[in-house]
Structure formats: structure tokens, C-alpha cells
Amino acid sequence: MGVAVRVIPCLDVDAGRVVKGVNFRELRDAGDPVEMAAVYDAEGADELTFLDVTASSGERATMLDVVRRTAEQVFIPLTVGGGVRTPEDIDILLRAGADKVGINTAAIARPELLGECARRFGSQCIVLSVDARRVQDGPPTASGYEVTTHGGRRGTGIDAVEWAARGQELGVGEILLNSMDADGTRAGFDIEMISQVRKVVDVPVIASGGAGKVDDFLPAVRAGADAVLAASVFHFGTLRISEVKDGLRAGAVEVR
């Protein structure tokens, strides 16, 4: 029997409020993060992910307060990402109540950061967040996918599948694989990208980007996702967590 598939709501937090846009643009307010976290906990979410979408130093104190208040109320694992640049940033977030911390841009600039953090805090605390898209311009990568920065607006030319494998080698405990093409579109997960990454890593893969209906989640799991993450469909009441779990169970997938 494999490990049960996790269903994870993602809350994009901007200056202390939950926001949601399409392809990381045109953000609109969706509520108070601590209240929403408590609702998701009650509805059966297996974990929560907070992404600090402003992640500027000025807003950092606000985010720490949100993490602290959420950790006091909610007893499921909490992953926090956005603007994490140093081991000290991770230390501060873990002390505030985060269980895991996602690293994205800083690791692209200096991959050794992943290994340093995995050794210091334990692999189980470190999540490599990969914002990937199909290569649009520039030389093609072997997988056809590249890592992006700046909310998917800037390509790096780094092969996204090779980058996920490198993250595992460096000691990360999970890969959060976010399709920037699908983000916010509700058109379904990028199944090809999930299956390519699954072939090269053994650590859990969290599929993100594109959830629109109950039927979107099962293909992502069949492609190799260990967890499925969604934001807008949960925030705006399109789907409930229990519906997603029922849909997965109907496909003979073990959920919690």
C-alpha cells in the first residue's frame, strides 16, 4: 500500500491577505489567511501552503505574524514559501511555526543553498519549489520545460526536470512542481510535466497549477503526484476538499 495522497490548499498571501490571480497577475482579495486556514483544517485539508507573493522585506513581519497565528490555530503541516533567501530566513519561519519551507529563486542563484539547508534543518523541512513552463523562446531544453522566476515571467533556460533531480541530489525532501502555463487557468494539471519529473525523483512530488474540477486531480496522481495542490477552486468555493478526496477515492486512490 502506498502512502496516502495529500490534498493541499495553497494560500497566496500579499501583505497579510489571501489573493488570487491568473498566471500570477491581476490579484484579487480572497480573505483572511488565518480564518481560511482554520476552515480548510476543519474541512479535511492534509496540509496548507502559504506563498508570500510580495515577499519584500517590508512585508516579512506581516507574513511571520500570519504564520504564527495560523500555527496556533491549525494542527496540520504548514509549508511557507516566497522570498526565502538564506538559512536564517528558514530558521525564522520554522520558529514562527512553519513545518516546511519552500525555496525557489535563491536556489536557482546558488543551488548549494539547498544542501546547506537540508543538512542544517533536515530534508523533511526543505521543499524545492519549481515554477516551470514549456520553453517559449530561447534554446529548447531536453524535457521541453524550463524553470522560471518572477512569477513565471522570466525564463532561466534551466531544464525543469533536470532541476528537480538536482534538488533531490542536494537533499530536498519534496518537490513542489508548479505549472506556470496552467496556473489559475483551471484547465487541468500539466500531466506530461508531472510524469517526466516523477521518472527522475523518488521524493514526493506536489502537483500545482491548473486544478479546475474534481476530475482534474486523478490524472495528476496517476501521472505520479504524491500530493495535489490548488488555490482558487478552494478559495472561491468551486470545489470542496471532501469532493476532491471523494473523487480520488472513486479512482481507487488512497487518501487520508
Side-chain angles (χ1 to χ4, degrees), residues 36-230:
M36 292 178 72
V39 169
Y40 287 142
D41 188 12
E43 286 189 353
D46 298 304
E47 294 185 12
L48 289 169
T49 295
F50 277 166
L51 288 180
D52 184 350
V53 295
T54 29
S56 64
S57 52
E59 303 294 352
R60 187 51 53 83
T62 307
M63 190 63 182
L64 282 174
D65 181 56
V66 167
V67 172
R68 262 189 218 104
R69 290 190 297 129
T70 303
E72 281 164 13
Q73 286 203 12
V74 173
F75 300 100
I76 51 179
L78 177 60
T79 299
V80 183
V84 175
R85 294 180 179 87
T86 64
E88 289 63 44
D89 291 339
I90 294 175
D91 192 46
I92 289 165
L93 285 166
L94 293 174
R95 287 174 190 275
D99 298 281
K100 298 184 253 189
V101 177
I103 308 176
N104 185 338
T105 308
I108 295 166
R110 197 172 73 81
E112 302 76 29
L113 177 67
L114 296 172
E116 289 164 16
C117 293
R119 285 190 294 277
R120 178 165 164 187
F121 303 106
S123 291
Q124 77 286 349
C125 290
I126 307 301
V127 179
L128 175 59
S129 184
V130 181
D131 288 347
R133 69 177 184 199
R134 290 179 188 272
V135 177
Q136 292 166 350
D137 38 37
T141 60
S143 67
Y145 293 94
E146 70 173 332
V147 177
T148 68
T149 60
H150 300 79
R153 291 188 286 279
R154 199 170 295 179
T156 61
I158 297 167
D159 187 301
V161 175
E162 288 173 10
W163 179 232
R166 179 90 195 276
Q168 174 174 291
E169 277 167 29
L170 288 164
V172 306
E174 284 189 321
I175 308 287
L176 172 54
L177 185 62
N178 190 24
S179 166
M180 304 313 290
D181 298 320
D183 178 74
T185 63
R186 305 191 183 190
F189 292 92
D190 189 326
I191 301 306
E192 185 193 336
M193 184 166 75
I194 296 165
S195 60
Q196 283 204 48
V197 170
R198 174 78 286 159
K199 288 189 181 90
V200 299
V201 302
D202 305 314
V203 296
V205 174
I206 304 163
S208 166
K213 56 189 186 298
V214 169
D215 292 348
D216 290 336
F217 292 87
L218 187 60
V221 173
R222 289 194 168 141
D226 301 272
V228 282
L229 179 145

